[in-house]
Amino acid sequence: MSLLELRKLNKHFGGLHVTNAVDLTLEAGEIHCLIGPNGAGKSTLFRLILGEHHPGSGDILFAGENITRMKSFARIHRGLSVKFQVPGVFKGLSVRQNLEIALQSRHGGVELEMEIDRLLAFLGLESEQAQTAGNLSHGQKQWLEIGMAISLKPRLLLLDEPTAGMSPEETHLTGEMVQRLNADGMTVLAIEHDMAFVRQVAHRVTVLHLGQVFAQGSIDQIVADERVAAIYLGQAHA
Amino acid sequence: MTGFMSLFRRLEGPQTVGRGPAFWSLFALVLAVALAYPQFSDGYTVGNTVYFFVWVFIALSLCLIWGYGGSLSFGQTAFFGIAGYGYGILTINFGSAYGFTLIALVAAVAIAALFAVLLGYFMFFGRIAGVFLGIVTLAVTLMLERFMAQTAGPEWRIGSARLNGFNGMSAMPPLTIPWPGEPIVLFADVGLYYLVLGLLVFVYLGLRILMNSSFGNVIVAIRENPERAEMLGYDVRKYQLITFVIGAALAGLSGVLYTAWGQYITPSSMGMTAAALPLIWVAVGGRSDLTSTVVGTLVVLAGFQALTIYGSQYALVFMGVLLVLTVLIAPNGLVLGVMNWLGRLTARFTRKAP
């Protein structure tokens, strides 16, 4: 069954068509990567899926339910979760409190404290738990936000450039984590520029260009596609 | 029982400064002094202290909405005025027999809260935020002041209560507790002092529990990053509205107590100056902490009164200077800065001890 289905999704800001009749289907259980040059409309597509923007026309179906007009928080309750491009942590609060806020609606009391400890260990942030989140390194902030996003145990996890600013080792570790989450049944849609990461995790890849689906297939098919090389990968690899 | 214990544990937490036996011993000591103090003072001074206490509720309301919630509201004085006038209108019409003044207190606070539901609904569900929230709430406050100022004519009356324009409304009965034999009238001295002190302790501890609960967590999360809070599944608008209404009720409580204290309320209690002063108390104290807000408000109020007595017209100018200095030197608040410094000092001291 398809978990997420975008049907003829349109979004324009004034005369600028940022998303143009996008059709995209995500199967439950897959890791799907969204690539494309800057300004292709990738982040806008995320915002449409999350309900931060509303499409001019078209429909968004999640697990068969039409969520096009639903508020963001209600979509989260349905099983969506996101890590933003710019790490969206609660900067003035401690790392521990960040996780507590993410976890408190699912757990309480002693169980909550245990869940926080478990997640801190999973993220390797135990020694930073009393730190103010704003003082973390960029990579640590990314991990913290990923931790908050996965703590909701979503059915579909949206990752907007999860490895930006990470070293190759950290990128690889993040890839392994995504695969582990996926093995536990989480469907993942990731925007990513790092082709090593895409190659590591993606079951399928969609190339977005000028607000439209430009190409779709396995990573090998995408890399072999000369049209994709011309608009995106060519420059990236040059 | 466990529920009660968990409430008790929430008195301490990441959202409030002060924890452990040292802090609570100090709290008990301050409370004991506050309880004993009227025995060693005269009625006038005690009444003046009540006046200071009365303002702490509106300061706490701003601390909640602005310091914890991150929404700067100029509207607190509007709720103050609505509840103050509400109390006046109700008690002038229905008198003080059968404990009606206490019912009027609750009703007036409820009216202010209801008004906040209406205003807050349009603001938060209309996604008004940041500086625009300040502008809208300030506009509402000044509009109410203008409106009340033009009610001097005899046609502006509700029942037997004349609104009286700029001259203000007066001669409402003070708070009165029904008592077998003779009702206890709480004039602005010892009687009212204990009632207001009791309310103050209750509200302070209640807010500590609230802010260290999961609700408080969401409130500060919204201040830090509303988008992230929403994307964790929280309906940000709902939380903001609830906070705003609680804040309005507290500001309203200030208004009722003020009106009952002086048996007097005027439109200028909703004016520009009245709207700005609580902001200064809270900013100077430390808006993101309840204790700093209480201490800061009392200190600044006492200082302000001393200045008005001895330095007259410069008192307000000094308030402005104080605000500028706070913003430049200790943007999180002077009292909070001192308290954090003391906390670090004791931490270092206890670490050194074997």
PDB file of all heavy atoms in Angstrom, chain B residues 5 19 37 47 49 61 65 79 87 109 118 124 157 175 195 207 226-227 232 258 279 283 298 316 349:
ATOM      1  N   MET B   5       1.546  13.989  45.410  1.00  0.00           N
ATOM      2  CA  MET B   5       3.005  14.027  45.561  1.00  0.00           C
ATOM      3  C   MET B   5       3.682  14.520  44.278  1.00  0.00           C
ATOM      4  O   MET B   5       4.643  15.278  44.321  1.00  0.00           O
ATOM      5  CB  MET B   5       3.544  12.632  45.919  1.00  0.00           C
ATOM      6  CG  MET B   5       3.345  12.230  47.374  1.00  0.00           C
ATOM      7  SD  MET B   5       3.940  13.489  48.524  1.00  0.00           S
ATOM      8  CE  MET B   5       5.717  13.322  48.274  1.00  0.00           C
ATOM      9  N   ARG B  19      15.845  25.762  44.120  1.00  0.00           N
ATOM     10  CA  ARG B  19      15.495  24.380  44.423  1.00  0.00           C
ATOM     11  C   ARG B  19      16.236  23.949  45.674  1.00  0.00           C
ATOM     12  O   ARG B  19      17.149  24.627  46.127  1.00  0.00           O
ATOM     13  CB  ARG B  19      15.854  23.465  43.255  1.00  0.00           C
ATOM     14  CG  ARG B  19      17.355  23.455  42.932  1.00  0.00           C
ATOM     15  CD  ARG B  19      17.672  22.451  41.859  1.00  0.00           C
ATOM     16  NE  ARG B  19      17.079  22.810  40.579  1.00  0.00           N
ATOM     17  CZ  ARG B  19      16.530  21.953  39.741  1.00  0.00           C
ATOM     18  NH1 ARG B  19      16.463  20.698  40.062  1.00  0.00           N
ATOM     19  NH2 ARG B  19      16.046  22.341  38.591  1.00  0.00           N
ATOM     20  N   TYR B  37       4.940  40.336  60.124  1.00  0.00           N
ATOM     21  CA  TYR B  37       5.208  41.760  59.930  1.00  0.00           C
ATOM     22  C   TYR B  37       4.091  42.721  60.377  1.00  0.00           C
ATOM     23  O   TYR B  37       4.379  43.724  61.048  1.00  0.00           O
ATOM     24  CB  TYR B  37       5.634  41.968  58.461  1.00  0.00           C
ATOM     25  CG  TYR B  37       5.281  43.274  57.845  1.00  0.00           C
ATOM     26  CD1 TYR B  37       6.036  44.415  58.135  1.00  0.00           C
ATOM     27  CD2 TYR B  37       4.212  43.385  56.969  1.00  0.00           C
ATOM     28  CE1 TYR B  37       5.709  45.622  57.558  1.00  0.00           C
ATOM     29  CE2 TYR B  37       3.881  44.584  56.402  1.00  0.00           C
ATOM     30  CZ  TYR B  37       4.625  45.698  56.697  1.00  0.00           C
ATOM     31  OH  TYR B  37       4.297  46.889  56.133  1.00  0.00           O
ATOM     32  N   GLY B  47      -1.194  48.706  54.869  1.00  0.00           N
ATOM     33  CA  GLY B  47      -2.045  48.986  53.709  1.00  0.00           C
ATOM     34  C   GLY B  47      -1.217  49.313  52.486  1.00  0.00           C
ATOM     35  O   GLY B  47      -1.536  48.893  51.361  1.00  0.00           O
ATOM     36  N   THR B  49       1.779  48.198  51.902  1.00  0.00           N
ATOM     37  CA  THR B  49       2.387  46.941  51.462  1.00  0.00           C
ATOM     38  C   THR B  49       1.392  46.127  50.635  1.00  0.00           C
ATOM     39  O   THR B  49       1.759  45.506  49.638  1.00  0.00           O
ATOM     40  CB  THR B  49       2.859  46.120  52.681  1.00  0.00           C
ATOM     41  OG1 THR B  49       3.635  46.973  53.527  1.00  0.00           O
ATOM     42  CG2 THR B  49       3.695  44.938  52.253  1.00  0.00           C
ATOM     43  N   SER B  61       1.362  37.802  35.602  1.00  0.00           N
ATOM     44  CA  SER B  61       0.640  37.506  34.368  1.00  0.00           C
ATOM     45  C   SER B  61       1.513  37.811  33.153  1.00  0.00           C
ATOM     46  O   SER B  61       1.520  37.075  32.173  1.00  0.00           O
ATOM     47  CB  SER B  61      -0.666  38.307  34.305  1.00  0.00           C
ATOM     48  OG  SER B  61      -0.449  39.625  33.843  1.00  0.00           O
ATOM     49  N   ILE B  65       2.954  35.250  30.213  1.00  0.00           N
ATOM     50  CA  ILE B  65       2.669  35.423  28.789  1.00  0.00           C
ATOM     51  C   ILE B  65       3.915  35.817  27.996  1.00  0.00           C
ATOM     52  O   ILE B  65       4.192  35.291  26.924  1.00  0.00           O
ATOM     53  CB  ILE B  65       1.576  36.505  28.594  1.00  0.00           C
ATOM     54  CG1 ILE B  65       0.258  36.017  29.188  1.00  0.00           C
ATOM     55  CG2 ILE B  65       1.400  36.842  27.129  1.00  0.00           C
ATOM     56  CD1 ILE B  65      -0.832  37.062  29.176  1.00  0.00           C
ATOM     57  N   PHE B  79      -7.087  44.062  30.908  1.00  0.00           N
ATOM     58  CA  PHE B  79      -7.787  43.073  31.742  1.00  0.00           C
ATOM     59  C   PHE B  79      -7.885  43.570  33.182  1.00  0.00           C
ATOM     60  O   PHE B  79      -8.877  43.329  33.869  1.00  0.00           O
ATOM     61  CB  PHE B  79      -7.061  41.728  31.687  1.00  0.00           C
ATOM     62  CG  PHE B  79      -6.889  41.225  30.284  1.00  0.00           C
ATOM     63  CD1 PHE B  79      -5.635  40.898  29.793  1.00  0.00           C
ATOM     64  CD2 PHE B  79      -7.983  41.112  29.450  1.00  0.00           C
ATOM     65  CE1 PHE B  79      -5.487  40.459  28.494  1.00  0.00           C
ATOM     66  CE2 PHE B  79      -7.844  40.677  28.141  1.00  0.00           C
ATOM     67  CZ  PHE B  79      -6.585  40.350  27.664  1.00  0.00           C
ATOM     68  N   TYR B  87     -15.765  44.738  38.985  1.00  0.00           N
ATOM     69  CA  TYR B  87     -15.994  44.628  40.431  1.00  0.00           C
ATOM     70  C   TYR B  87     -16.802  45.818  40.938  1.00  0.00           C
ATOM     71  O   TYR B  87     -17.763  45.664  41.698  1.00  0.00           O
ATOM     72  CB  TYR B  87     -14.659  44.544  41.169  1.00  0.00           C
ATOM     73  CG  TYR B  87     -14.799  44.509  42.670  1.00  0.00           C
ATOM     74  CD1 TYR B  87     -15.093  43.328  43.331  1.00  0.00           C
ATOM     75  CD2 TYR B  87     -14.636  45.679  43.430  1.00  0.00           C
ATOM     76  CE1 TYR B  87     -15.242  43.295  44.713  1.00  0.00           C
ATOM     77  CE2 TYR B  87     -14.780  45.663  44.812  1.00  0.00           C
ATOM     78  CZ  TYR B  87     -15.080  44.473  45.447  1.00  0.00           C
ATOM     79  OH  TYR B  87     -15.224  44.435  46.812  1.00  0.00           O
ATOM     80  N   VAL B 109     -13.120  38.700  37.617  1.00  0.00           N
ATOM     81  CA  VAL B 109     -11.958  38.015  37.035  1.00  0.00           C
ATOM     82  C   VAL B 109     -12.420  37.170  35.843  1.00  0.00           C
ATOM     83  O   VAL B 109     -11.749  37.119  34.801  1.00  0.00           O
ATOM     84  CB  VAL B 109     -11.254  37.138  38.101  1.00  0.00           C
ATOM     85  CG1 VAL B 109     -10.244  36.211  37.464  1.00  0.00           C
ATOM     86  CG2 VAL B 109     -10.579  38.024  39.146  1.00  0.00           C
ATOM     87  N   LEU B 118     -11.959  35.851  23.860  1.00  0.00           N
ATOM     88  CA  LEU B 118     -12.414  36.446  22.609  1.00  0.00           C
ATOM     89  C   LEU B 118     -11.258  37.092  21.836  1.00  0.00           C
ATOM     90  O   LEU B 118     -11.014  36.791  20.668  1.00  0.00           O
ATOM     91  CB  LEU B 118     -13.478  37.500  22.935  1.00  0.00           C
ATOM     92  CG  LEU B 118     -14.540  37.736  21.890  1.00  0.00           C
ATOM     93  CD1 LEU B 118     -15.435  36.523  21.761  1.00  0.00           C
ATOM     94  CD2 LEU B 118     -15.352  38.973  22.243  1.00  0.00           C
ATOM     95  N   PHE B 124      -4.525  34.606  18.217  1.00  0.00           N
ATOM     96  CA  PHE B 124      -3.698  33.410  18.073  1.00  0.00           C
ATOM     97  C   PHE B 124      -4.185  32.501  16.945  1.00  0.00           C
ATOM     98  O   PHE B 124      -3.379  31.929  16.226  1.00  0.00           O
ATOM     99  CB  PHE B 124      -3.629  32.647  19.393  1.00  0.00           C
ATOM    100  CG  PHE B 124      -2.949  33.445  20.474  1.00  0.00           C
ATOM    101  CD1 PHE B 124      -3.628  33.824  21.612  1.00  0.00           C
ATOM    102  CD2 PHE B 124      -1.638  33.843  20.320  1.00  0.00           C
ATOM    103  CE1 PHE B 124      -3.008  34.578  22.596  1.00  0.00           C
ATOM    104  CE2 PHE B 124      -1.003  34.599  21.286  1.00  0.00           C
ATOM    105  CZ  PHE B 124      -1.690  34.967  22.425  1.00  0.00           C
ATOM    106  N   ARG B 157     -24.308  54.825  32.650  1.00  0.00           N
ATOM    107  CA  ARG B 157     -24.466  54.136  33.920  1.00  0.00           C
ATOM    108  C   ARG B 157     -24.925  52.708  33.666  1.00  0.00           C
ATOM    109  O   ARG B 157     -25.576  52.406  32.684  1.00  0.00           O
ATOM    110  CB  ARG B 157     -25.490  54.866  34.803  1.00  0.00           C
ATOM    111  CG  ARG B 157     -26.870  54.973  34.154  1.00  0.00           C
ATOM    112  CD  ARG B 157     -27.927  55.344  35.172  1.00  0.00           C
ATOM    113  NE  ARG B 157     -27.734  56.678  35.717  1.00  0.00           N
ATOM    114  CZ  ARG B 157     -27.552  56.943  36.997  1.00  0.00           C
ATOM    115  NH1 ARG B 157     -27.536  55.949  37.866  1.00  0.00           N
ATOM    116  NH2 ARG B 157     -27.411  58.175  37.427  1.00  0.00           N
ATOM    117  N   LEU B 175     -13.768  44.390  49.978  1.00  0.00           N
ATOM    118  CA  LEU B 175     -14.070  42.957  50.106  1.00  0.00           C
ATOM    119  C   LEU B 175     -14.585  42.683  51.512  1.00  0.00           C
ATOM    120  O   LEU B 175     -14.058  43.209  52.494  1.00  0.00           O
ATOM    121  CB  LEU B 175     -12.815  42.132  49.838  1.00  0.00           C
ATOM    122  CG  LEU B 175     -12.348  42.092  48.378  1.00  0.00           C
ATOM    123  CD1 LEU B 175     -10.967  41.475  48.275  1.00  0.00           C
ATOM    124  CD2 LEU B 175     -13.337  41.339  47.508  1.00  0.00           C
ATOM    125  N   LEU B 195      -5.337  38.311  53.364  1.00  0.00           N
ATOM    126  CA  LEU B 195      -6.019  37.724  52.202  1.00  0.00           C
ATOM    127  C   LEU B 195      -5.125  37.793  50.961  1.00  0.00           C
ATOM    128  O   LEU B 195      -4.931  36.788  50.251  1.00  0.00           O
ATOM    129  CB  LEU B 195      -7.334  38.454  51.926  1.00  0.00           C
ATOM    130  CG  LEU B 195      -8.062  37.945  50.675  1.00  0.00           C
ATOM    131  CD1 LEU B 195      -8.842  36.675  50.991  1.00  0.00           C
ATOM    132  CD2 LEU B 195      -8.995  38.999  50.084  1.00  0.00           C
ATOM    133  N   LEU B 207       1.700  28.653  40.000  1.00  0.00           N
ATOM    134  CA  LEU B 207       2.378  28.910  38.735  1.00  0.00           C
ATOM    135  C   LEU B 207       3.673  28.110  38.632  1.00  0.00           C
ATOM    136  O   LEU B 207       4.062  27.666  37.548  1.00  0.00           O
ATOM    137  CB  LEU B 207       2.669  30.408  38.570  1.00  0.00           C
ATOM    138  CG  LEU B 207       1.468  31.285  38.216  1.00  0.00           C
ATOM    139  CD1 LEU B 207       1.873  32.740  38.150  1.00  0.00           C
ATOM    140  CD2 LEU B 207       0.845  30.867  36.884  1.00  0.00           C
ATOM    141  N   PRO B 226       8.258  28.039  17.754  1.00  0.00           N
ATOM    142  CA  PRO B 226       6.869  27.615  17.584  1.00  0.00           C
ATOM    143  C   PRO B 226       6.690  26.565  16.479  1.00  0.00           C
ATOM    144  O   PRO B 226       5.853  25.676  16.595  1.00  0.00           O
ATOM    145  CB  PRO B 226       6.124  28.905  17.242  1.00  0.00           C
ATOM    146  CG  PRO B 226       7.161  29.935  16.978  1.00  0.00           C
ATOM    147  CD  PRO B 226       8.437  29.481  17.584  1.00  0.00           C
ATOM    148  N   GLU B 227       7.486  26.690  15.420  1.00  0.00           N
ATOM    149  CA  GLU B 227       7.357  25.753  14.300  1.00  0.00           C
ATOM    150  C   GLU B 227       7.710  24.331  14.753  1.00  0.00           C
ATOM    151  O   GLU B 227       6.993  23.368  14.476  1.00  0.00           O
ATOM    152  CB  GLU B 227       8.283  26.192  13.168  1.00  0.00           C
ATOM    153  CG  GLU B 227       8.089  25.399  11.901  1.00  0.00           C
ATOM    154  CD  GLU B 227       9.152  25.744  10.858  1.00  0.00           C
ATOM    155  OE1 GLU B 227      10.290  26.066  11.243  1.00  0.00           O
ATOM    156  OE2 GLU B 227       8.836  25.672   9.662  1.00  0.00           O
ATOM    157  N   LEU B 232       5.962  18.848  16.617  1.00  0.00           N
ATOM    158  CA  LEU B 232       5.981  17.736  17.572  1.00  0.00           C
ATOM    159  C   LEU B 232       4.540  17.349  17.927  1.00  0.00           C
ATOM    160  O   LEU B 232       4.304  16.547  18.815  1.00  0.00           O
ATOM    161  CB  LEU B 232       6.759  18.111  18.841  1.00  0.00           C
ATOM    162  CG  LEU B 232       8.276  18.241  18.657  1.00  0.00           C
ATOM    163  CD1 LEU B 232       8.936  18.744  19.921  1.00  0.00           C
ATOM    164  CD2 LEU B 232       8.899  16.920  18.227  1.00  0.00           C
ATOM    165  N   TYR B 258      -6.978  45.855  43.435  1.00  0.00           N
ATOM    166  CA  TYR B 258      -6.647  47.278  43.435  1.00  0.00           C
ATOM    167  C   TYR B 258      -7.895  48.124  43.703  1.00  0.00           C
ATOM    168  O   TYR B 258      -7.880  49.047  44.527  1.00  0.00           O
ATOM    169  CB  TYR B 258      -6.026  47.654  42.095  1.00  0.00           C
ATOM    170  CG  TYR B 258      -5.786  49.140  41.922  1.00  0.00           C
ATOM    171  CD1 TYR B 258      -4.649  49.747  42.459  1.00  0.00           C
ATOM    172  CD2 TYR B 258      -6.697  49.933  41.224  1.00  0.00           C
ATOM    173  CE1 TYR B 258      -4.428  51.100  42.307  1.00  0.00           C
ATOM    174  CE2 TYR B 258      -6.484  51.291  41.074  1.00  0.00           C
ATOM    175  CZ  TYR B 258      -5.352  51.878  41.604  1.00  0.00           C
ATOM    176  OH  TYR B 258      -5.141  53.217  41.462  1.00  0.00           O
ATOM    177  N   LEU B 279       5.655  46.209  32.480  1.00  0.00           N
ATOM    178  CA  LEU B 279       6.723  45.736  31.603  1.00  0.00           C
ATOM    179  C   LEU B 279       8.092  46.004  32.215  1.00  0.00           C
ATOM    180  O   LEU B 279       8.998  45.166  32.148  1.00  0.00           O
ATOM    181  CB  LEU B 279       6.624  46.465  30.258  1.00  0.00           C
ATOM    182  CG  LEU B 279       6.209  45.644  29.050  1.00  0.00           C
ATOM    183  CD1 LEU B 279       4.772  45.220  29.159  1.00  0.00           C
ATOM    184  CD2 LEU B 279       6.431  46.439  27.786  1.00  0.00           C
ATOM    185  N   ALA B 283      10.689  43.212  33.355  1.00  0.00           N
ATOM    186  CA  ALA B 283      11.962  43.175  32.633  1.00  0.00           C
ATOM    187  C   ALA B 283      13.131  43.342  33.591  1.00  0.00           C
ATOM    188  O   ALA B 283      14.139  42.644  33.489  1.00  0.00           O
ATOM    189  CB  ALA B 283      11.990  44.263  31.560  1.00  0.00           C
ATOM    190  N   LEU B 298       8.460  43.940  43.502  1.00  0.00           N
ATOM    191  CA  LEU B 298       8.361  44.576  44.821  1.00  0.00           C
ATOM    192  C   LEU B 298       9.470  45.602  45.025  1.00  0.00           C
ATOM    193  O   LEU B 298       9.227  46.704  45.522  1.00  0.00           O
ATOM    194  CB  LEU B 298       8.412  43.499  45.918  1.00  0.00           C
ATOM    195  CG  LEU B 298       7.163  42.598  45.988  1.00  0.00           C
ATOM    196  CD1 LEU B 298       7.350  41.477  46.997  1.00  0.00           C
ATOM    197  CD2 LEU B 298       5.928  43.432  46.336  1.00  0.00           C
ATOM    198  N   LEU B 316       9.348  58.763  36.890  1.00  0.00           N
ATOM    199  CA  LEU B 316       9.060  58.046  35.644  1.00  0.00           C
ATOM    200  C   LEU B 316      10.268  58.030  34.718  1.00  0.00           C
ATOM    201  O   LEU B 316      10.537  57.043  34.046  1.00  0.00           O
ATOM    202  CB  LEU B 316       7.862  58.686  34.937  1.00  0.00           C
ATOM    203  CG  LEU B 316       6.496  58.174  35.393  1.00  0.00           C
ATOM    204  CD1 LEU B 316       5.394  58.968  34.725  1.00  0.00           C
ATOM    205  CD2 LEU B 316       6.330  56.694  35.099  1.00  0.00           C
ATOM    206  N   PHE B 349      30.776  26.699  46.163  1.00  0.00           N
ATOM    207  CA  PHE B 349      31.065  26.541  47.591  1.00  0.00           C
ATOM    208  C   PHE B 349      30.832  25.093  48.031  1.00  0.00           C
ATOM    209  O   PHE B 349      31.660  24.493  48.703  1.00  0.00           O
ATOM    210  CB  PHE B 349      30.162  27.485  48.392  1.00  0.00           C
ATOM    211  CG  PHE B 349      30.429  27.469  49.871  1.00  0.00           C
ATOM    212  CD1 PHE B 349      31.589  28.044  50.387  1.00  0.00           C
ATOM    213  CD2 PHE B 349      29.533  26.869  50.733  1.00  0.00           C
ATOM    214  CE1 PHE B 349      31.834  28.022  51.744  1.00  0.00           C
ATOM    215  CE2 PHE B 349      29.776  26.843  52.103  1.00  0.00           C
ATOM    216  CZ  PHE B 349      30.928  27.430  52.606  1.00  0.00           C
TER     217      PHE B 349
END
